[in-house]
Amino acid sequence: MPKEVTLRDVATQVGVSPRTVSRVVNDEGGFSEATRQKVLDAVEQLGYQPNMLARGLITRRSGTVGLVGGGMTDPFFPALAERIQRKAREAGRTMFFASTDSDPARQADVLKSLWSHAVDGVIVFPALDTIDQLTSYARRGLPVVIVDDQADAPNLACVSFDLEAGAAMATRHLLDTGRSRLGMIASSLSPPRRRNRERGFLRGLRDSAAGASPPEVVRMLPTVEGGETGMGQLIDRRPDIDGVFAYNDLVAIGAMRAAKARGRRVPDDIAVVGCDDIDMSSLVTPALTTVRLDRPLLSEEVTQALHELIDAPGIPRDPVKLPVELVVREST
Amino acid sequence: MPKEVTLRDVATQVGVSPRTVSRVVNDEGGFSEATRQKVLDAVEQLGYQPNMLARGLITRRSGTVGLVGGGMTDPFFPALAERIQRKAREAGRTMFFASTDSDPARQADVLKSLWSHAVDGVIVFPALDTIDQLTSYARRGLPVVIVDDQADAPNLACVSFDLEAGAAMATRHLLDTGRSRLGMIASSLSPPRRRNRERGFLRGLRDSAAGASPPEVVRMLPTVEGGETGMGQLIDRRPDIDGVFAYNDLVAIGAMRAAKARGRRVPDDIAVVGCDDIDMSSLVTPALTTVRLDRPLLSEEVTQALHELIDAPGIPRDPVKLPVELVVREST
DNA sequence: AACGTTGGCGTCAACGTTGACGTAGCTGCC
DNA sequence: GGCAGCTACGTCAACGTTGACGCCAACGTT
């Protein structure tokens, strides 16, 4: 990288000290309108860009935030990442993106790397059993926003959807539309603490007056393939199954494929409900009934929480739980 | 952010100078095996992490690369971004991700921001008419890899798929399977220079011995909605149309929806070919015939080009053109 | 014994910026 | 006239690291 334009270059051109240029650039005050204009003109003319590394070295603010997710293969994530990135840029920060493949070790690497780049804060979709890892960083002073899990520490905020309520809604919807032999395809990547969907599913069943038969639950990787094998197993275990709630829409889509492959019609023979409401869900046939997670809302809450943690450190934040909504389409 | 562990901390603990610790950490040589061990132990024990900002300030290498794309709503991009990010991490670099919404002004902002963060290089899916912008950065010393467009400058490499050949293959496939009244839904975001798909489509028609009737081409936003309106227009203009090549798979999926909505069966009444081979394409019904772009290959080529530009600047690189492949499924 | 060479390490300055502090000149007020 | 208080700057050091260079002891060579 060749020479860049520095504060000093601007300063000598204008005939002031670098410190004054710095004041103007950062709008600190303490300069006359006349010098302000001259400095800004020179900045424009020379094409000066502040060196964020130097600034970050001294202010301990790099103007960057990290977004750490399990992966981008689930379409839920990219759409969210894009919104978060937009909001970060509106707040004048640049986003580092990193995916962990849902692997705790990789997540550790990623956080180490982000830390050494002095990110101002991170938003994390945590991998399995990594809450301690995250609270440790938070305690060391890194603002952390955790999505879809709970923890308590300084510099830490939690935002999640009310998935338990969503799952209960989905279950009740299945029961209300006449299904009584239900199953669920859950995720093998969720530790017990985070099995809100399963809790909601069971609660929905318990709450229902109608005495539905005991449910089947299988746990799979949360992918289309996982949904396919999951549905296969459910049908094997309980051939008369007539309603399935899936961990997410990808799983649900896989489940519908498997059902069709086994000659069961959706929704006539078996109803399927997903969770997320990814773009694809309204495009498949039959269009998927699903629990919609409001991504604009989530990105709003998450970035706001992060920026508050960064700009006003120390003040504790209550965990946020966001409402969800059932979108009924053709698969039920 | 509270105090971090620095070279000096490690140095005083071991009883050597910071410079020596630096030598060990960077494996520069010039130290004994004994001190190496002691230093590494201390590094481990204190949890030392090099401060990339300070290092970058002096070496002018920040250990970061930028990935600049139009957006993540097209599923083609995330899958690619993830692979590129993985490769970057394998090479010891961290990835900044930034989306431009395909807006030249936003792209300018994004590049400015990345530049001020002293990224070592960028991979860009360029927005409309931004080649000058990019070559300007390249000339100022920033390694730039441009995907799917051409330019010539120092510090610049180009990688693209042979979309013209792919489009020609798709077109010939349509003709070979008995379609003769063809249309294409192209992208309104492609400048004339980058309309390789259209060129291939027309070439495929010209090359065919059978005298097919003159084709219709409409230009839409490359989204599902764009595909829907595009197919609508094609049918209006030419009610007997029986084969459509779409700019990408999202457009193709939209086109199939519109065809069905108008009572035309796919593939019986009208055949549809897409381009990209996103995951969704094998999942929709009918499964989409498409021109597959090999994402692992692209990410490999792109990252290799970038790392070569970074590590061996100055040597010119010929543009790379990657082969594509037709995947025949049910929609033709 | 004198000399060059090498390995192993320290010293110092610099990267570009900002925090802390200093100061010259002016204004206003008793 | 003296002094406080302001405005508009400048000066200096520091952030954590590495590049350039220098130094000393140990070793081999003539």
Side-chain angles (χ1 to χ4, degrees), chain A residues 7 19 22 26 48 55 58:
Chain A
L7 278 185
R19 192 61 248 262
S22 167
N26 293 32
Y48 166 75
R55 178 182 289 177
I58 177 154

Side-chain angles (χ1 to χ4, degrees), chain A residues 62-84:
Chain A
S62 61
T64 59
V65 297
L67 175 63
V68 180
M72 312 187 65
T73 44
D74 183 340
F76 181 74
F77 191 73
L80 194 66
E82 185 168 357
R83 290 198 111 90
I84 291 175

Side-chain angles (χ1 to χ4, degrees), chain B residues 7 19 22 26 48 51 54-55 58:
Chain B
L7 278 185
R19 193 63 186 79
S22 166
N26 293 30
Y48 167 75
N51 182 321
R55 178 182 289 177
I58 178 155

Side-chain angles (χ1 to χ4, degrees), chain A residues 8-306:
Chain A
R8 194 196 321 286
D9 300 327
V10 179
T12 54
Q13 157 129 355
V14 177
V16 294
S17 79
R19 192 61 248 262
T20 297
V21 178
S22 167
R23 274 190 268 254
V24 173
V25 170
N26 293 32
D27 208 20
E28 288 178 36
F31 44 80
S32 69
E33 181 55 28
T35 46
R36 198 185 84 95
Q37 266 311 327
K38 279 192 291 185
V39 167
L40 290 183
D41 287 351
V43 163
E44 188 68 22
Q45 187 196 327
L46 299 177
Y48 166 75
Q49 278 283 117
N51 182 323
M52 295 307 222
L53 301 188
R55 178 182 289 177
L57 186 55
I58 177 154
T59 61
R60 309 190 147 276
R61 291 272 181 109
S62 61
T64 59
V65 297
L67 175 63
V68 180
M72 312 187 65
T73 44
D74 183 340
F76 181 74
F77 191 73
L80 194 66
E82 185 168 357
R83 290 198 111 90
I84 291 175
Q85 199 243 350
R86 198 170 307 164
K87 290 221 188 294
R89 194 166 59 223
E90 283 164 12
R93 295 184 226 269
T94 308
M95 198 184 85
F96 276 108
F97 163 72
S99 74
T100 63
D101 297 331
S102 302
D103 174 0
R106 268 200 197 281
Q107 181 174 304
D109 282 354
V110 157
L111 286 171
K112 225 156 98 172
S113 167
L114 291 174
W115 173 263
S116 77
H117 281 287
V119 291
D120 295 341
V122 292
I123 297 168
V124 186
F125 291 68
L128 206 59
D129 286 329
T130 51
I131 288 296
D132 290 350
Q133 196 185 97
L134 293 171
T135 52
S136 144
Y137 273 100
R139 244 184 290 275
R140 281 200 275 159
L142 180 69
V144 176
V145 175
I146 297 182
V147 182
D148 205 19
D149 205 339
Q150 291 256 11
D152 192 23
N155 297 310
L156 195 147
C158 298
V159 180
S160 42
F161 283 111
D162 194 348
L163 293 169
E164 185 170 334
M169 283 166 58
T171 311
R172 263 195 297 272
H173 170 70
L174 286 171
L175 295 169
D176 290 349
T177 53
R179 317 291 171 162
S180 60
R181 298 174 295 278
L182 302 191
M184 172 171 177
I185 308 173
S187 165
S188 54
L189 293 182
S190 298
R193 195 186 55 258
R194 248 202 284 172
R195 294 192 182 142
N196 324 28
R197 292 176 180 83
E198 292 178 55
R199 274 193 291 279
F201 175 66
L202 297 174
R203 180 157 66 81
L205 273 167
R206 264 202 320 276
D207 291 357
S208 129
S213 59
E216 292 288 341
V217 177
V218 295
R219 270 190 264 280
M220 298 289 147
L221 281 177
T223 61
V224 173
E225 293 74 29
E228 287 181 326
T229 57
M231 182 59 111
Q233 289 192 14
L234 285 179
I235 292 178
D236 288 343
R237 288 201 203 167
R238 196 179 218 304
D240 62 346
I241 192 166
D242 63 0
V244 169
F245 173 57
Y247 179 81
N248 66 18
D249 284 359
L250 287 181
V251 170
I253 288 167
M256 292 202 294
R257 282 170 65 83
K260 275 185 250 180
R262 299 215 171 197
R264 318 244 169 163
R265 289 163 306 160
V266 178
D268 308 281
D269 300 326
I270 186 166
V272 176
V273 181
C275 185
D276 276 358
D277 194 26
I278 59 180
D279 289 342
M280 203 158 126
S281 301
S282 57
L283 261 35
V284 292
T285 38
L288 185 66
T289 293
T290 189
V291 177
R292 169 178 294 160
L293 309 188
D294 187 338
R295 282 174 290 208
L297 182 61
L298 178 59
S299 50
E300 178 65 42
E301 290 289 333
V302 155
T303 47
Q304 194 194 321
L306 184 63

Side-chain angles (χ1 to χ4, degrees), chain A residues 257 260 283-287, chain B residues 253 256-257 260 266-267 280-288 330-331:
Chain A
R257 282 170 65 83
K260 275 185 250 180
L283 261 35
V284 292
T285 38
Chain B
I253 288 167
M256 291 202 295
R257 282 171 64 84
K260 274 185 251 180
V266 178
M280 201 158 130
S281 301
S282 58
L283 262 35
V284 291
T285 38
L288 185 66
E330 303 160 8
S331 68

